[in-house]
């Protein structure tokens, strides 16, 4: 993840697009909540926004709206692993609406930005995205989540132990095959 952070920090165009969002006090609170493995919600949104920026710009889409919405797509400000604050329903289904509500209080959002935020969980949620930018954020979100989770496993002893035992098991199975 260090390479992507370096690329993000060195991309002036990207940083200009999300400057006001990145430095907003409420948005910065996302750093207080873990999202996937050791990645904070803020970092996750930053990665998704960057991947979205790259793809949408390359495809000559509305990369500004898509990038800004990607930075706000998980603005829910709670630990989703705990049932607190009287939340009803499963996080996967409810947080897009919470993020949209929170983002709308802080920023003037256009139709693409609203669609991206509320529909980024498709196909988990049935709300079908209306814009190609929404699909791109959806896929960037899934890609980033998987990458963050795998990076988190790599940093733990458990991950290393799993591979050690798998190696031993495969070695024993393979050895028996040749007997």
């Amino acid at each position: 993840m260090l390479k992507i952070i370096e690329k993000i920090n060195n991309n002036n165009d990207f940083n200009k697009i999300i400057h006001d969002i990145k430095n907003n006090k409420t948005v910065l609170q996302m750093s207080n909540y873990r999202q996937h493995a050791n990645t904070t919600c803020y970092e996750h949104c930053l990665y998704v926004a960057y991947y979205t920026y790259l793809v949408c710009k390359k495809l000559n889409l509305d990369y500004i709206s898509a990038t800004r919405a990607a930075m706000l797509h998980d603005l829910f400000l709670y630990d989703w692993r705990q049932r607190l604050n009287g939340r009803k329903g499963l996080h996967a289904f409810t947080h897009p609406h919470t993020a949209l509500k929170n983002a709308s209080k802080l920023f003037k959002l256009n139709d693409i930005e609203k669609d991206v935020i509320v529909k980024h969980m498709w196909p988990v949620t049935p709300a079908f995205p209306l814009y190609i930018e929404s699909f791109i954020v959806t896929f960037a979100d899934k890609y980033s989540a998987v990458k963050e989770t795998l990076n988190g496993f790599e940093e733990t002893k458990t991950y290393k132990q799993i591979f050690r035992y798998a190696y031993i098991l495969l070695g024993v199975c393979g050895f028996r095959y040749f007997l």
Side-chain angles (χ1 to χ4, degrees):
M1 295 308 261
L2 291 175
K3 287 181 183 179
I4 191 75
I5 292 169
E6 187 178 319
K7 288 179 182 181
I8 288 170
N9 290 335
N10 292 329
N11 191 314
N12 292 331
D13 186 41
F14 170 76
N15 284 295
K16 283 180 192 172
I17 292 168
I18 62 164
H19 178 76
D20 61 325
I21 297 172
K22 228 171 110 165
N23 295 301
N24 180 280
K25 288 180 185 179
T26 303
V27 172
L28 286 168
Q29 288 178 34
M30 291 192 298
S31 295
N32 298 327
Y33 302 99
R34 205 166 40 97
Q35 181 71 329
H36 306 112
N38 299 323
T39 305
T40 68
C41 190
Y42 180 87
E43 292 167 329
H44 168 71
C45 287
L46 188 63
Y47 300 149
V48 173
Y50 187 67
Y51 299 137
T52 297
Y53 165 82
L54 294 174
V55 173
C56 287
K57 189 165 185 177
K58 181 80 171 173
L59 297 175
N60 294 314
L61 299 170
D62 185 351
Y63 65 92
I64 293 173
S65 295
T67 300
R68 292 178 62 79
M71 190 64 205
L72 298 167
H73 81 278
D74 278 341
L75 184 61
F76 49 80
L77 302 176
Y78 56 80
D79 183 351
W80 61 267
R81 292 165 184 80
Q82 298 176 358
R83 261 216 196 264
L84 298 174
N85 306 326
R87 276 190 298 123
K88 294 179 181 173
L90 294 174
H91 169 76
F93 298 104
T94 61
H95 83 273
H97 294 284
T98 303
L100 178 61
K101 181 180 165 188
N102 291 340
S104 295
K105 289 179 186 175
L106 301 172
F107 305 98
K108 184 172 172 37
L109 304 174
N110 64 34
D111 290 341
I112 291 175
E113 292 165 337
K114 291 175 188 175
D115 193 67
V116 164
I117 294 168
V118 82
K119 296 178 182 170
H120 77 272
M121 286 300 291
W122 181 84
V124 174
T125 57
F128 195 78
L130 298 176
Y131 302 95
I132 191 147
E133 290 88 349
S134 301
F135 282 103
I136 291 168
V137 173
T138 296
F139 294 121
D141 182 42
K142 306 314 177 255
Y143 170 77
S144 189
V146 168
K147 190 171 182 177
E148 293 160 21
T149 302
L150 291 176
N151 283 342
F153 283 142
E154 285 179 4
E155 295 170 7
T156 65
K157 251 185 174 176
T158 306
Y159 182 80
K160 292 174 185 171
Q161 288 172 335
I162 288 170
F163 276 104
R164 182 179 310 131
Y165 292 121
Y167 180 76
I168 292 169
L169 180 64
L170 289 173
V172 169
C173 291
F175 181 72
R176 290 178 157 227
Y177 176 76
F178 291 106
L179 290 178

